[in-house]
Structures are given as C-alpha cells and as structure tokens.
Amino acid sequence: MITQIKGLHHVTSMAAHAQQNSDFFTKKLGLRRVKKTVNFDAPEVYHLYYGDEFGTPGSVMTYFPFPNIAQGRQGAGEVGDTYFSVPRGTLDFWKNRLVAQDVTGLSESEVFGEKRLRFDGPDHDSFSLIEVDGDSRTGWQHGDIATSEVIQGFRGASLRLKDAAATGELLRFMGYQQVDNQGNHTRFTIPGGNGADVIDIEAVPNAGDARQGAGSVHHIAFAVEDRAAQLEVRKALMDTGYQVTPVIDRDYFWAIYFRTPGGVLFEVATNEPGFDRDEDVAHLGESLKLPTRYEQHRDQIEQLLEPITD
C-alpha cells in the first residue's frame, strides 16, 4: 500500500473565459490568484492558479481557459463536485454572499454528517462549501472576507463513476480508508492527511459518459512531499499494472499522470518547489510567468492571450 500520499495537491479544470474565471475565484470566492502562466502544451492558453496565500498544496484550484471551448457534459467517468472547507457556522454568510454575487445553483444539504452548500461555477462547474470543525488552515486572509469565514482550502472531491469497485480498490492502495456509505455515495479519507483528504465515490451505473469541455475537471492531483516520494509512488503504481507517465517538470511541482479504472485522470504532484520559485510571495500571480522554453516567444504569446485585469 502507498503511504506517501497525504491528500489533494490541486484540481485542474477547463473554462471558456479567463477574465470571468479570475473574477469568480478572486472576487466571489475570495481566493488568491497565486500564478498566471500558460498551458505547457498550448502556450496561447492561460494556466491560472488560485489558492491560499502561498498556494499551499491542498488549496489550489487551477484552470485552462480555452476561448470558444464547447460546454462540457456531466456524466460518468469524471470528477463531480470539488469540495472547499469553511469554518463551522459560516454557511449562512456564504449563502448570502453568493446570492448577492449572482452565483447560481445554490442548494443546502447534509452529507456524511457535514453541512454543505452546493453552487455552480461560471461554466456550470460543480462546487460545495463544507463546514469543517477544527481545520487549522488559514486560507487567504488579505481579501474582503473575514478570517473567521474564509475558505481554508479543499476538503476533497467526489468522483462520478459507473463502477465504484475498481477505483475504490485503487484509493485503498493509495492510502485512503473507506469510512462510510450513504446511498450511492462511499467516503474515503486519509488519516492524518493534509486537510484536503476526502474522496467520495458516487456510483451512477446508468449514467451516460461525461464529455469534457468548459466546466469539466481535466484532472485531479494528489500530493506527495518530494520527488523521492513521488518515485516510490510511481514504482508502486507501475508494479500494480498502471501505465504511469515519466516525471514531468511543471515548474512549480513535478508531476506524474495515470488513468484510473473509472476513466478519471489522476496526477501525483510534489509539494516542492512551490509557487514562490519565480515570484516573491507578496506578488504571487501578478505577472505573466512563462516556462523557460516559451520565454523567447513572450511577445507573440502575450498578443494571443486575453488581458486579465485584477
């Protein structure tokens, strides 16, 4: 069994409009934009990162805003909800704030004993704020939301799958423990994790297949401390029969990827070196940062990118 994974590192989704995406996460949800860079494989497309003050693993939502991308279709074989952790007793504040910000799709429920507020992102992405007691993470404290109400980081995510069994077995191999069932939902957690350590599997055997597009999660990344731990995880996965990519340098972390039995793309990312490797913490996310191989094309790339105003 793998023991190096401590929870989520980041979640990466797709969007249609960069400015709309940035405004939603920074102005409506009160997260910090911690990096403004480009897609490694499509440098004419932004890669935007949002999180806490430092972009701490377990807090970072990232996006590829593809202009003119088709709308995604929800279904089986994808990440369903992405969960954010908020302090206990703050859902009324968040409901009022999101209503005032014209956020759609709001609904309240209690699942696995946790109160949650579900809502839509600007591309009909699916999110939930979950009240968590005892989460010591501090979130981004320099926006317009009080420290006592701020989003603290991820709680976790749900996977929407036709067959829950094989992916459940994979999660157990990755160090998760099954802790509860409620209807067609099964909950897995990592004891002593990083706070972003919950994965729920929603079994939807009769659902159609998801189609990726705007509002879809592209991949979900799990955190390991360093490259040595990542190599251990890679070997364990390959020894079990998974086809895992070589280690890829993503500037702010190293990454490996593999496809799960349910069709979801998993990544394992390192906590090192972090988002301050090329920017001072006080100015994270302000300037366009380019991978080294694209720096010589900065002028052309900047002409192709939609300007983002803060």
Side-chain angles (χ1 to χ4, degrees):
M1 185 182 73
I2 291 169
T3 59
Q4 297 88 346
I5 291 171
K6 301 304 177 186
L8 294 185
H9 186 285
H10 64 270
V11 177
T12 295
S13 295
M14 295 181 288
H17 303 285
Q19 183 69 62
Q20 181 187 54
N21 184 259
S22 183
D23 287 347
F24 182 83
F25 286 95
T26 61
K27 297 178 182 178
K28 297 187 178 185
L29 296 190
L31 301 181
R32 184 184 195 187
R33 194 178 68 221
V34 295
K35 195 61 61 179
K36 180 168 64 171
T37 184
V38 296
N39 186 312
F40 270 79
D41 301 314
E44 71 281 5
V45 175
Y46 280 116
H47 194 174
L48 303 176
Y49 294 76
Y50 312 97
D52 66 8
E53 181 172 5
F54 305 99
T56 305
S59 77
V60 183
M61 189 79 208
T62 99
Y63 270 86
F64 302 134
F66 286 93
N68 305 312
I69 190 174
Q71 179 66 42
R73 181 183 65 208
Q74 293 186 352
E78 67 174 351
V79 175
D81 270 21
T82 301
Y83 306 150
F84 292 105
S85 170
V86 295
R88 187 172 297 276
T90 62
L91 284 191
D92 284 344
F93 162 82
W94 277 103
K95 181 178 180 181
N96 292 334
R97 179 182 174 90
L98 295 181
V99 167
Q101 297 274 6
D102 297 320
V103 174
T104 61
L106 276 74
S107 63
E108 296 180 81
S109 62
E110 186 168 321
V111 183
F112 296 119
E114 297 177 331
K115 294 181 179 179
R116 66 174 62 184
L117 176 65
R118 192 213 160 272
F119 59 97
D120 293 336
D123 292 287
H124 303 290
D125 335 37
S126 187
F127 299 105
S128 291
L129 298 172
I130 296 180
E131 290 189 346
V132 180
D133 198 16
D135 190 336
S136 62
R137 295 175 294 170
T138 56
W140 172 233
Q141 300 188 21
H142 303 287
D144 68 339
I145 300 175
T147 302
S148 59
E149 296 162 334
V150 73
I151 289 174
Q152 297 163 298
F154 289 131
R155 173 65 167 150
S158 68
L159 308 178
R160 190 181 297 124
L161 307 174
K162 290 184 179 180
D163 178 10
T167 299
E169 189 62 31
L170 169 62
L171 288 174
R172 293 184 190 92
F173 182 67
M174 291 171 60
Y176 284 81
Q177 295 182 7
Q178 181 176 331
V179 295
D180 207 350
N181 288 94
Q182 187 171 320
N184 64 332
H185 292 77
T186 304
R187 170 152 289 194
F188 297 82
T189 66
I190 290 184
N194 64 1
D197 43 28
V198 167
I199 296 290
D200 294 335
I201 294 181
E202 178 187 2
V204 287
N206 299 316
D209 291 336
R211 182 187 66 206
Q212 287 208 334
S216 301
V217 172
H218 184 271
H219 62 268
I220 182 169
F222 298 83
V224 293
E225 188 61 33
D226 53 31
R227 297 182 71 185
Q230 183 183 62
L231 289 175
E232 292 172 357
V233 170
R234 183 174 187 269
K235 182 180 186 303
L237 289 167
M238 293 182 70
D239 287 349
T240 310
Y242 285 96
Q243 301 297 311
V244 187
T245 68
V247 176
I248 301 172
D249 184 357
R250 295 303 193 195
D251 280 354
Y252 311 108
F253 47 86
W254 283 271
I256 57 174
Y257 302 86
F258 66 102
R259 188 71 63 176
T260 67
V264 180
L265 183 61
F266 276 12
E267 174 184 345
V268 179
T270 62
N271 292 348
E272 58 177 3
F275 292 97
D276 61 351
R277 67 172 294 273
D278 58 359
E279 284 183 299
D280 184 82
V281 169
H283 298 286
L284 290 179
E286 295 178 7
S287 302
L288 177 66
K289 296 297 180 180
L290 296 178
T292 302
R293 69 174 182 264
Y294 293 133
E295 190 59 54
Q296 62 183 321
H297 305 297
R298 175 175 287 273
D299 289 345
Q300 300 96 305
I301 290 171
E302 288 182 342
Q303 290 176 14
L304 292 171
L305 293 171
E306 168 194 347
I308 298 175
T309 58
D310 295 326

